Amino acid sequence: MTDKPRVVVVDDDDSVRRALERLLRSVGYDVELFGSSRAFVERGEYERADCLVLDVRMPGQSGLDVQRLLISAGHDVPIIFITGHGDIPMAAQALKAGAVDILAKPFDDGIFLKAVEQCVAKSRRRRA
Amino acid sequence: MVRDVRGPAVISCTEVTERRRAELDAQRSRQELAHFTRVSTMGELTASLAHELNQPLAAILTNARAALRFLDAAPPDPGELRAILSDIVDDDKRAGEVIQRLRDLLRKGEPQRVLLDLNVLVKDVVRLLSSDAIIRNVSVTLDLAAEPVHVHGDRIQLQQVMLNLLLNAMEATAERSGPERSVVVRTEITTMLETVHLAVEDTGVGLGPGVSELVFEPFYTTKPAGMGMGLAIVRSIVEAHGGVVWAMQNPTAGATFHVAMPVRYVPT
């Protein structure tokens, strides 16, 4: 095993963000947090992430906007969407555009961590 | 441009008496109707409220699961666990506050006039609608008077006024595509007229010609699913508080809805 896989979480809710950071860290991931799509997009360096966890609805750019932006810029980072709404058409759209999974809050930690594993496996395969 | 906030200049005494009597007769049914609209407004807000509750619930669950995993580590870090538990407590309170705000809004009862700061009331309602604004991709900005804006009124009814005006503005704004999707809420005290002034300015579709008077009429609606009662309720509540409402088309885009009510001075 090389270095720890890096998971990036973008969510505008402070508490949700902190909780996800702890959960991911408890199983040994490197975690990076952003409070808005804008902060994440402005930082760039998308390829450093093995898995991107995006909240769907955020003030300003939504998670879907970020997905579109990454695709159009040719960055293929595996994405998990998390959402506080049961928005089916949106979920279909996100999955069609290549998202690994979409989870409705509140979600089970096992399901979430499994999706993260899938993302990491996907991005490692691509890099190998 | 500026309409006289005291309404039409000429009113005969008979008209005033008749209006007063009609007002008293209508008070009961107005309360019923106001409650009914509040309940149906809640229906519109379900998605928003689900989101408001889902956030703390998600954080609580994830934090608890993380704590369980940290406990399995040897040795567990007490600092980490303490931070988690403290976040769980905060999120539980946060969910409780959402329920409390809902209860406040849905409470049925006789109107009670108390001293209120309109600024606080505006902030409460904007908070209640914050997820709704995100869903509709509308930014809500507050431009409130620096000093407390005191009025004598019923908190629930005036919350309803604010809720209806804000929902109306957000709906109108969400209908329009484009980058400028904002709603501004302003409060100020107009000392000369001894009134408080509340304005809700949107960048929405605006009012058609001749519509600014019609929008406050019961059953007037441009929305397919609308009941046409939201702004009629606003007017009836504001008038019952001795105030007036009016709407104006903005020079650039959208419309502004105004409320003027008697100011209540608080002895210092």
Side-chain angles (χ1 to χ4, degrees):
Chain A
M1 192 72 191
T2 52
D3 51 345
K4 287 190 206 169
R6 176 183 297 256
V7 182
V8 170
V9 178
V10 187
D11 193 309
D12 63 314
D13 192 289
D14 293 353
S15 185
V16 169
R17 213 164 54 232
R18 274 204 302 279
L20 288 174
E21 190 269 336
R22 289 174 182 133
L23 182 64
L24 289 163
R25 191 158 41 80
S26 77
V27 290
Y29 289 112
D30 235 10
V31 190
E32 211 174 349
L33 304 175
F34 294 92
S36 70
S37 300
R38 193 189 178 144
F40 170 69
V41 169
E42 276 174 2
R43 210 284 308 270
E45 302 177 45
Y46 313 119
E47 299 292 338
R48 282 175 64 194
D50 293 295
C51 174
L52 182 55
V53 179
L54 285 176
D55 187 19
V56 174
R57 309 273 191 180
M58 288 180 280
Q61 282 175 301
S62 73
L64 291 175
D65 293 334
V66 174
Q67 185 189 32
R68 270 193 290 273
L69 192 139
L70 290 180
I71 291 171
S72 68
H75 296 289
D76 188 15
V77 185
I79 297 172
I80 299 168
F81 281 103
I82 52 176
T83 175
H85 312 270
D87 195 336
I88 303 299
M90 185 278 307
Q93 195 188 328
L95 289 173
K96 212 187 276 175
V100 168
D101 212 341
I102 176 150
L103 303 174
K105 295 178 194 174
F107 44 75
D108 182 72
D109 60 330
I111 293 172
F112 173 71
L113 291 174
K114 202 164 194 173
V116 173
E117 257 174 57
Q118 273 181 318
C119 283
V120 171
K122 203 172 159 186
S123 84
R124 295 267 145 132
R125 254 200 319 276
R126 211 179 38 240
R127 278 175 204 180
Chain B
M1 260 290 266
V2 179
R3 224 184 81 161
D4 188 337
V5 289
R6 284 159 300 190
V10 186
I11 310 171
S12 75
C13 286
T14 1
E15 271 179 315
V16 172
T17 333
E18 269 169 22
R19 197 195 278 179
R20 182 74 194 130
R21 194 168 47 234
E23 185 73 5
L24 289 170
D25 287 345
Q27 196 166 14
R28 185 88 222 150
S29 52
R30 190 171 57 228
Q31 276 171 37
E32 291 293 322
L33 189 56
H35 178 73
F36 174 70
T37 5
R38 263 199 319 276
V39 174
S40 43
T41 311
M42 280 304 123
E44 288 178 42
L45 293 181
T46 310
S48 181
L49 290 167
H51 185 251
E52 295 276 322
L53 285 173
N54 271 339
Q55 295 290 83
L57 287 177
I60 288 170
L61 182 59
T62 305
N63 266 320
R65 292 296 194 183
L68 289 170
R69 287 173 190 270
F70 280 128
L71 274 173
D72 290 338
D77 176 355
E80 183 99 67
L81 293 172
R82 191 168 296 121
I84 289 178
L85 288 173
S86 137
D87 271 0
I88 289 178
V89 170
D90 288 346
D91 274 319
D92 192 280
K93 281 186 192 152
R94 186 169 142 205
E97 279 164 16
V98 175
I99 306 279
Q100 189 54 48
R101 285 204 295 275
L102 249 185
R103 275 209 190 116
D104 285 351
L105 209 60
L106 291 175
R107 187 178 300 135
K108 209 174 168 180
E110 293 297 306
Q112 275 182 344
R113 297 284 172 99
V114 291
L115 181 72
L116 294 168
D117 179 357
L118 216 52
N119 284 345
V120 174
L121 193 128
V122 166
K123 281 186 214 155
D124 281 349
V125 174
V126 168
R127 226 174 115 197
L128 193 70
L129 289 182
S130 60
S131 305
D132 219 60
I134 295 172
I135 296 168
R136 294 172 203 262
N137 196 16
V138 173
S139 76
V140 179
T141 317
L142 299 183
D143 180 11
L144 305 181
E147 69 277 11
V149 178
H150 285 123
V151 293
H152 188 61
D154 181 75
R155 195 161 64 91
I156 297 168
Q157 287 187 352
L158 292 180
Q159 272 180 344
Q160 176 76 50
V161 166
M162 193 54 226
L163 190 71
N164 288 8
L165 288 177
L166 205 55
L167 270 176
N168 189 64
M170 292 199 314
E171 277 169 11
T173 304
E175 276 174 40
R176 236 179 57 122
S177 53
E180 273 298 298
R181 290 146 70 93
S182 69
V183 171
V184 183
V185 184
R186 300 178 207 283
T187 60
E188 60 179 357
I189 298 175
T190 313
T191 322
M192 214 176 67
L193 297 170
E194 304 212 313
T195 53
V196 301
H197 180 202
L198 167 79
V200 181
E201 187 185 315
D202 65 55
T203 54
V205 285
L207 304 162
V211 169
S212 59
E213 292 295 321
L214 283 176
V215 284
F216 296 104
E217 291 299 321
F219 306 115
Y220 178 85
T221 183
T222 54
K223 288 172 266 176
M227 236 191 347
M229 289 312 292
L231 293 174
I233 290 284
V234 165
R235 181 171 69 180
S236 93
I237 291 173
V238 171
E239 286 180 354
H241 282 77
V244 288
V245 290
W246 70 100
M248 287 201 302
Q249 178 73 30
N250 296 334
T252 48
T256 303
F257 286 78
H258 300 267
V259 172
M261 281 175 53
V263 69
R264 187 40 96 92
Y265 291 108
V266 180
T268 45

